[in-house]
Amino acid sequence: MLFSRFFAPTSKNDSADAKIASHRLMLRTGMISQTAAGIYCWLPLAVRVIEKITKIICEEQDKIGAQRVNFTTIQPANLWLESGRYEAYGKEMLRIKDRKDGDFLYSPTNEEQATDVFRKYVKSYKELPIIFYQIHWKFRDEIRPRFGVMRGREFLMKDGYSFDLDFESAKLTYETVFKSYIRIFRRLELTPIPVQAESGAIGGNMSHEFQILAETGESTLYYDRKLLSASDEELLTTFAVTSEKYNSDTITISEKDLMISKGIEVGHIFYFGTKYSKAMNAFVLNEKGKEIYPEMGSYGIGVSRLVAAIIEASHDPRGIIWPEAVAPFDVTILNLHLKNSRCCDVAFEIYKALSSKKEVLYDDRNITVGEKLVDADLIGIPWQIIVGSTKIEGGVVELKNRKTGKVVEMSPNKVIERFLN
Ligand code: ATP
Ligand code: MG
């Protein structure tokens, strides 16, 4: 991609109402454009990041047998009247009338719809377990949208819904999804802290929030320091709670093991038994022909919030530092001297060669050297190949690692080899 043709409206100044780093940096790099409170357009840099996150989520969810669907963003109100949530959901739900005066709503979540699809088609216990998931936009009319896309009104969520024949099997599904989530967050190069969100009435903890450590997080976490080195299996039971639970429960953990940090909630999983299957009369027949209401769970990841959370966890005063797994491009080439034909030839040659295997942003814009270097650090692509006239005379270009700041000189051929092998 030629930067001169790429739509990334970067700016030199911070927006006055951006209170946290991710919001500030997403605006400055031209990733998002606000259209109303808590409602944002996602521009090319941001879409590329969302695509990378989506791909990782889908790979890990497919691995555990979850099946991707697309529920709808607009739902008829009657599904929610059946579950009893239409009134209960309150003002966060955006309610809509169609031209025939029918009541609709913009999905804040899709338990009812998943249950409706299930009851229409699934008749036998033999078809269970089933896990549906989707990656789709949600709308919640949050009372205080803030921090950019961190708490938006329109936001992208990965939501999943599971159906099992009995509690034991539902518990197994829950734990399988739990481990899948841990793998997802690790692949995103994040350190997930799964906190016990509420003790289920039956069989221990069956609701976890996944938190990412960040100073600007809205949650306060209390956790056992062992958690930072725990295996996936141990993570299910190692002590970690948010302040609400810490203050209300009696906690038995010694002071020397207790860690307290701020966190951002990026995922939430629940087991809720037959709440929706019973209310909506969704059942299957067991081997004796008896009607069984499936045990359900639901599983969310805040995909758009993750983009901001990753930036909170990985930035410095100069800008974003994208983890390689989700970076909008793998590498950027900075041609510092457009008027120097050697620079242009070498930069273009590297660009052509790398483009066969890598996603490359070639900065061919006619701006100053300083502006180019500043923008590259701001946008935070993991590797910068810097092509300047003095170095080129010596037969080398510079390869800079955005995270460490370390620069090494190498010949154009070496740098090509470095990325193609
Ligand atoms: P919160 O306590 O932050 O409001 P929630 O408990 O309402 O979250 P869920 O309904 O479990 O969230 O949604 C699943 C995930 O979707 C959350 O873990 C979060 O990452 C994300 N999410 C929820 N609300 C928003 C929002 N307003 N903007 C961006 N992401 C959100
Ligand atoms: Mg909420």
Side-chain angles (χ1 to χ4, degrees), residues 331-391:
V331 47
T332 180
I333 301 167
L334 314 186
N335 180 352
L336 299 187
H337 302 107
L338 289 180
K339 294 205 179 84
N340 179 316
S341 65
R342 268 293 275 150
C343 284
C344 292
D345 291 348
V346 168
F348 199 72
E349 185 196 337
I350 298 173
Y351 171 56
K352 277 287 142 205
L354 297 194
S355 296
S356 63
K357 270 206 186 162
K358 297 285 170 190
E359 292 172 87
V360 190
L361 183 66
Y362 173 25
D363 196 345
D364 61 338
R365 293 174 302 165
N366 190 12
I367 56 174
T368 68
V369 170
E371 285 168 329
K372 244 174 223 187
L373 295 168
V374 165
D375 267 2
D377 280 355
L378 179 68
I379 291 171
I381 294 166
W383 295 97
Q384 300 170 13
I385 298 171
I386 305 167
V387 184
S389 51
T390 319
K391 297 285 174 198

Side-chain angles (χ1 to χ4, degrees), residues 8-11 13-15 18 20-34 40-43 45-47 49-50 53 147-150 303-312 315 319-320 322 378-379:
T10 59
S11 76
N13 303 314
D14 284 329
S15 150
I20 62 172
S22 56
H23 187 194
R24 188 168 56 75
L25 291 168
M26 288 181 82
L27 288 170
R28 275 196 60 188
T29 53
M31 290 176 72
I32 50 170
S33 167
Q34 183 172 354
Y40 291 84
C41 299
W42 293 73
L43 305 182
L45 272 176
V47 169
V49 175
I50 286 205
I53 297 174
F147 303 150
V149 301
M150 194 72 94
V303 177
S304 51
R305 178 180 289 182
L306 259 176
V307 178
I310 291 169
I311 297 173
E312 289 299 326
H315 69 274
I320 302 172
W322 287 113
L378 179 68
I379 291 171

Side-chain angles (χ1 to χ4, degrees), residues 74-365:
I74 307 290
Q75 298 181 39
N78 58 18
L79 285 178
W80 288 64
L81 289 167
E82 273 191 70
S83 73
R85 281 211 293 183
Y86 190 59
E87 294 312 325
Y89 211 91
K91 289 199 161 175
E92 269 194 21
M93 183 189 279
L94 182 65
R95 292 149 209 264
I96 304 165
K97 290 260 189 215
D98 73 359
R99 63 164 74 196
K100 293 181 185 146
D101 215 28
D103 288 314
F104 288 82
L105 57 99
Y106 196 107
S107 302
T109 180
N110 293 69
E111 280 80 5
E112 284 78 359
Q113 212 173 28
T115 310
D116 185 46
V117 169
F118 180 92
R119 72 179 166 184
K120 277 191 200 148
Y121 303 108
V122 184
K123 302 293 173 203
S124 160
Y125 72 98
K126 289 182 189 154
E127 295 169 67
L128 304 188
I130 290 178
I131 311 175
F132 295 130
Y133 77 97
Q134 65 167 350
I135 294 179
H136 223 192
W137 294 92
K138 300 279 182 281
F139 193 93
R140 293 182 187 173
D141 202 353
E142 298 274 354
I143 189 160
R144 220 169 350 121
R146 57 186 178 145
F147 303 150
V149 301
M150 194 72 94
R151 181 168 297 285
R153 292 197 293 167
E154 186 180 60
F155 60 98
L156 188 61
M157 200 202 284
K158 173 269 162 183
D159 43 329
Y161 306 90
S162 68
F163 301 83
D164 278 272
L165 195 60
D166 53 34
F167 173 72
E168 279 312 309
S169 151
K171 184 164 183 281
L172 193 65
T173 296
Y174 180 91
E175 290 173 2
T176 305
V177 177
F178 179 99
K179 288 175 196 162
S180 170
Y181 272 33
I182 295 287
R183 282 195 297 274
I184 289 167
F185 295 125
R186 293 223 171 106
R187 281 185 63 184
L188 298 172
E189 297 174 43
L190 295 167
T191 304
I193 307 284
V195 305
Q196 291 137 20
E198 96 204 9
S199 298
I202 349 164
N205 291 302
M206 292 287 271
S207 175
H208 282 88
E209 286 173 4
F210 293 82
Q211 301 268 350
I212 297 306
L213 299 182
E215 297 282 316
T216 45
E218 290 184 294
S219 319
T220 306
L221 316 180
Y222 296 79
Y223 58 99
D224 187 334
R225 70 173 69 244
K226 282 204 286 288
L227 197 115
L228 296 169
S229 57
S231 69
D232 294 2
E233 195 68 41
E234 289 163 343
L235 281 177
L236 266 163
T237 48
T238 307
F239 174 78
V241 295
T242 56
S243 48
E244 293 96 3
K245 197 160 148 62
Y246 186 76
N247 297 333
S248 67
D249 286 15
T250 315
I251 303 300
T252 52
I253 179 167
S254 76
E255 223 164 275
K256 72 174 195 345
D257 291 330
L258 185 68
M259 302 277 286
I260 306 175
S261 317
K262 288 282 181 193
I264 299 170
E265 182 195 319
V266 291
H268 198 170
I269 62 178
F270 310 83
Y271 156 77
F272 45 72
T274 55
K275 181 174 168 193
Y276 297 94
S277 52
K278 271 197 180 137
M280 296 180 68
N281 203 32
F283 60 83
V284 293
L285 298 180
N286 73 5
E287 56 218 302
K288 297 192 184 102
K290 186 171 169 252
E291 292 174 6
I292 305 285
Y293 292 108
E295 302 268 337
M296 293 175 60
S298 76
Y299 314 91
I301 293 179
V303 177
S304 51
R305 178 180 289 182
L306 259 176
V307 178
I310 291 169
I311 297 173
E312 289 299 326
S314 187
H315 69 274
D316 68 12
R318 293 194 305 279
I320 302 172
I321 304 172
W322 287 113
E324 300 207 10
V326 297
F329 291 92
D330 300 316
V331 47
T332 180
I333 301 167
L334 314 186
N335 180 352
L336 299 187
H337 302 107
L338 289 180
K339 294 205 179 84
N340 179 316
S341 65
R342 268 293 275 150
C343 284
C344 292
D345 291 348
V346 168
F348 199 72
E349 185 196 337
I350 298 173
Y351 171 56
K352 277 287 142 205
L354 297 194
S355 296
S356 63
K357 270 206 186 162
K358 297 285 170 190
E359 292 172 87
V360 190
L361 183 66
Y362 173 25
D363 196 345
D364 61 338
R365 293 174 302 165

